[in-house]
Amino acid sequence: MARAPIPIPPEVRGRLKRLTLSARRASGERGIGMHASRSRGAGLEFAQYRAYEPGDEPRQIDWKLYARSDKFFVRESERESPVALWMLIDASASMAQADRATPDWSRFDAAKALAACIAELAMQQDDRFGWIVLGEPAVTLADPRGGRRQRDRLLVDLARVDAAGSFPGEATLTPLWERIGARDLVLFLSDCFDEAGLALIERLARAGREVLAIQLLTVEEREFPFDGGYRFRDPESGAELVGDGPALRAAFLRRFAAAQAALDARLDAAGIRHARYVIDEPLDRPLQALFGRAGPVGA
């Protein structure tokens, strides 16, 4: 059953304030990671009022509304940005994988929480963000917009989606990726196990889009802590392997490490910046790797 993303922990939210969504490509225009605050003036469309929060600039307060209500409200506006952020969220069946120790926290739950964090980063910079949830039988899509309403819509959309089925095929994907503009920034959230998903982001990168990827892994994939006999089943293909955990561990870890090295090389060759996230780690760790200064992230 689908669930909404778990609220962002306060300590993670605090660290997010020190990050900047940044595009590596120099465009000569203001875009993601390039604005310090929302501009005011011609060409802006009123979006909504919200209650004043500590840290808001006094110039954002609607003083006429204050005179009528004796309460502080901030007037939020939307403006078109030359760069937009797209989140491509893998919702295939393998993303439902969780660890035995934490069965209620799957790869897909972590992807939802990361998407919520990324939306917060975009909002901090007044940038637009949209998403495509890549699953079957349906694909969920929202074109980039800015503001809290967009963030709230993201949370509602994610609460309605389960990870199930196979990764969508090319016939489904082609009309979608063509909607992503040449200057847009793309962030792929996936276990990166599906060839179709890797082919999609490579195609976007070849077409001149700047692409980043976060690979989500379980603790058991990192450690393979199985003891005794097990039946391992691929949730998408249904293929099964029966074996003894300790006997399989060394070979699995060796082959898995080789597969990760091959993936890293493939993404590097495509010019795709990437980070790896194991779902027992602090939620912002991959965002720190992509958008923060080097250094350890607190637990």
Side-chain angles (χ1 to χ4, degrees), residues 68 102 116 145 195 250 255 290:
R68 297 196 302 270
T102 54
R145 292 183 64 85
E195 174 59 29
R255 293 176 64 183
L290 291 172

Side-chain angles (χ1 to χ4, degrees), residues 19 94 98 179 228 282:
L19 299 182
S94 63
R179 298 181 68 149

Side-chain angles (χ1 to χ4, degrees), residues 21-23 31-33 81-88 114-123 125 127-132 142-146 150 154 180-181 183-189 210-212 287 291:
L21 281 173
S22 56
I32 283 181
S81 168
V83 181
L85 168 69
W86 285 90
M87 291 180 277
L88 306 187
L114 280 168
C117 289
I118 294 161
E120 292 293 326
L121 285 179
M123 288 171 57
Q125 299 175 188
D127 280 312
R128 295 178 296 136
F129 58 96
W131 55 91
I132 304 176
D143 287 313
R145 292 183 64 85
Q150 182 78 341
L154 169 67
I180 300 174
R183 295 186 182 276
D184 293 351
L185 183 66
V186 179
L187 183 51
F188 186 50
L189 300 171
E210 183 165 356
V211 183
L212 295 82
L287 303 179
F291 304 117

Side-chain angles (χ1 to χ4, degrees), residues 37-142:
S37 62
R38 186 182 300 277
S39 302
R40 299 181 68 87
L44 297 181
E45 178 184 355
F46 171 70
Q48 63 183 350
Y49 286 109
R50 64 169 173 81
Y52 174 84
E53 297 177 353
D56 287 333
E57 296 184 26
R59 66 183 178 84
Q60 293 179 288
I61 296 172
D62 191 305
W63 295 104
K64 292 182 179 179
L65 185 58
Y66 168 73
R68 297 196 302 270
S69 65
D70 199 33
K71 294 181 180 179
F72 292 115
F73 289 94
V74 170
R75 181 183 177 92
E76 289 191 330
S77 301
E78 275 190 3
R79 51 106 173 102
E80 290 297 306
S81 168
V83 181
L85 168 69
W86 285 90
M87 291 180 277
L88 306 187
I89 306 169
D90 183 355
S92 61
S94 63
M95 289 291 287
Q97 183 68 38
D99 295 302
R100 292 172 301 168
T102 54
D104 294 328
W105 182 243
S106 69
R107 267 196 280 258
F108 196 54
D109 292 323
K112 289 181 179 183
L114 280 168
C117 289
I118 294 161
E120 292 293 326
L121 285 179
M123 288 171 57
Q124 286 176 190
Q125 299 175 188
D126 302 317
D127 280 312
R128 295 178 296 136
F129 58 96
W131 55 91
I132 304 176
V133 182
L134 299 161
E136 287 188 331
V139 170
T140 303
L141 181 145

Side-chain angles (χ1 to χ4, degrees), residues 96-234:
Q97 183 68 38
D99 295 302
R100 292 172 301 168
T102 54
D104 294 328
W105 182 243
S106 69
R107 267 196 280 258
F108 196 54
D109 292 323
K112 289 181 179 183
L114 280 168
C117 289
I118 294 161
E120 292 293 326
L121 285 179
M123 288 171 57
Q124 286 176 190
Q125 299 175 188
D126 302 317
D127 280 312
R128 295 178 296 136
F129 58 96
W131 55 91
I132 304 176
V133 182
L134 299 161
E136 287 188 331
V139 170
T140 303
L141 181 145
D143 287 313
R145 292 183 64 85
R148 293 168 180 258
R149 289 180 180 175
Q150 182 78 341
R151 186 271 315 277
D152 294 343
R153 181 184 174 187
L154 169 67
L155 299 182
V156 169
D157 277 0
L158 293 180
R160 294 171 174 166
V161 180
D162 283 314
S166 302
F167 198 86
E170 185 175 353
T172 300
L173 295 175
T174 298
L176 300 179
W177 80 265
E178 290 177 345
R179 298 181 68 149
I180 300 174
R183 295 186 182 276
D184 293 351
L185 183 66
V186 179
L187 183 51
F188 186 50
L189 300 171
S190 173
D191 54 24
C192 296
F193 292 160
D194 286 286
E195 174 59 29
L198 295 175
L200 169 65
I201 59 175
E202 286 175 325
R203 185 176 183 182
L204 286 167
R206 286 196 303 270
R209 279 64 171 176
E210 183 165 356
V211 183
L212 295 82
I214 296 176
Q215 183 188 29
L216 294 96
L217 300 175
T218 65
V219 177
E220 290 170 351
E221 286 165 335
R222 181 185 65 197
E223 301 175 1
F224 204 79
F226 302 104
D227 51 0
Y230 283 89
R231 182 185 301 271
F232 301 96
R233 182 175 183 275
D234 186 315

